[in-house]
């Protein structure tokens, strides 16, 4: 199956339904299936009562009843328009509904940023849906996500500024890049958890668009200064190349502080995350440093160095040999 390379909820969701071997359901069902109560309040019903779905302004949610297993949309043009915009495939120039969809994006981003329970809710929910795929379908889905991610990156790189700004919900490069990088990073872990998270980054990026920037700032911030060369030119494509082919890159250290055992490395407490380099008496020649803030004993060792916070969280330490090499090269330069 060939998909259009645009970051839209409807197109992303199609990948799942194709793997599942089913037709995509209606807009409300798609929104409910992946975002549940964050977007839609299901009203009690006897299953036959066809009440039009309606959008409640200050609640930022659509209310709907279920008829024969499906959420019932009905005749309310406003709901159709708003849901269509969130799905990203509806055409039309109704500014009022576009505005409402934008408020929903802000609202949902706020729910994710302010309450970690909501993130767990989305993960749990996505995991359940992915569990419905057979092993083969899951593999197919995984491959499709990889392709989709790559296509999105290329498509975006080929887009002119006018095109990017002319999208219904324009995304800043920084936000787009971070969402796609996070998705690729999680896919690259080749784990079930990674797949769920990659999928959620794509879903959240397509639903929340630029508002997803707030989410990336909370769920992904690098707090270790790195001295590797993470990319040649800083483009997303180059960062992804580094992610998938780290063996082709080398670490470099260009600083002057060669007195230290690990120049350029910032150390953080494993227990409370205090910045250890700033603590009085800290010396990286010590093999263990007791954090003055919480008392935790941190090992100061080359095997405890990570390129980024994600690498730390996923227990992927940097390559000690490469770090040694980088330091040796720098020391040789000095001579
Ligand atoms: Zn501490």
């Amino acid at each position: 199956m060939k998909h259009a390379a645009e970051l839209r909820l409807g197109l992303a969701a199609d990948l799942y339904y194709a793997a599942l071997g089913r037709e995509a359901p209606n807009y409300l069902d798609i929104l409910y299936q992946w975002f549940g109560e964050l977007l839609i309040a299901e009203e009690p019903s006897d299953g036959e009562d066809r009440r039009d779905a309606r959008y409640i302004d200050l609640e930022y949610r659509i209310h709907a009843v279920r008829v024969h297993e499906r959420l019932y949309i009905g005749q309310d043009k406003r709901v159709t328009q708003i849901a269509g915009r969130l799905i990203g495939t509806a055409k039309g120039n109704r500014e009022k509904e576009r505005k409402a969809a934008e408020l929903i994006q802000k609202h949902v981003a706020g729910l994710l940023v302010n309450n970690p329970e909501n993130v767990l809710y989305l993960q749990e929910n996505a995991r359940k849906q992915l569990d419905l795929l057979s092993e083969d379908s899951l593999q197919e889905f995984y491959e499709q996500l990889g392709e989709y991610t790559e296509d999105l990156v290329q498509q975006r790189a080929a887009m002119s500024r006018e095109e990017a700004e002319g999208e219904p919900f324009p995304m800043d490069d920084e936000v787009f890049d971070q969402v796609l990088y996070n998705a690729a990073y999680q896919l690259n872990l080749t784990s079930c958890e990674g797949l769920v998270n990659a999928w959620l980054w794509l879903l959240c990026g397509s639903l929340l668009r630029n508002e997803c920037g707030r989410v990336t700032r909370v769920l992904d911030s690098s707090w270790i200064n790195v001295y590797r060369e993470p990319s040649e030119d800083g483009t997303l494509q180059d960062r992804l190349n580094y992610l998938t082919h780290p063996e082709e890159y080398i670490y470099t250290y260009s600083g002057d502080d060669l007195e230290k055992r690990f120049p350029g490395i910032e150390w953080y407490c494993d227990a409370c995350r205090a910045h250890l380099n700033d603590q009085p008496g800290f010396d990286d020649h010590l093999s263990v440093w007791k954090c003055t803030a919480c008392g935790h004993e941190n090992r100061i060792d080359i095997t405890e160095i990570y390129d980024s916070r994600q690498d730390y969280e996923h227990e992927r330490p940097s390559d000690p040999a490469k770090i040694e090499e980088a330091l040796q090269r720098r020391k040789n330069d000095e001579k």
Side-chain angles (χ1 to χ4, degrees), residues 269 272 291 294:
C269 176
C272 74
C291 171
C294 77

Side-chain angles (χ1 to χ4, degrees), residues 161-210:
R161 184 147 295 280
E162 291 72 34
E163 282 173 310
E165 284 169 2
E167 291 206 294
F169 300 107
M171 276 174 108
D172 295 341
D173 285 341
E174 188 200 352
V175 176
F176 180 89
D177 286 4
Q178 198 57 50
V179 168
L180 268 291
Y181 183 82
N182 289 353
Y185 186 94
Q186 295 289 336
L187 277 179
N188 192 248
L189 295 173
T190 58
S191 66
C192 288
E193 198 202 352
L195 179 61
V196 167
N197 289 334
W199 178 231
L200 280 179
W201 276 118
L202 293 172
L203 291 180
C204 288
S206 59
L207 178 81
L208 307 176
R209 302 288 296 179
N210 220 30

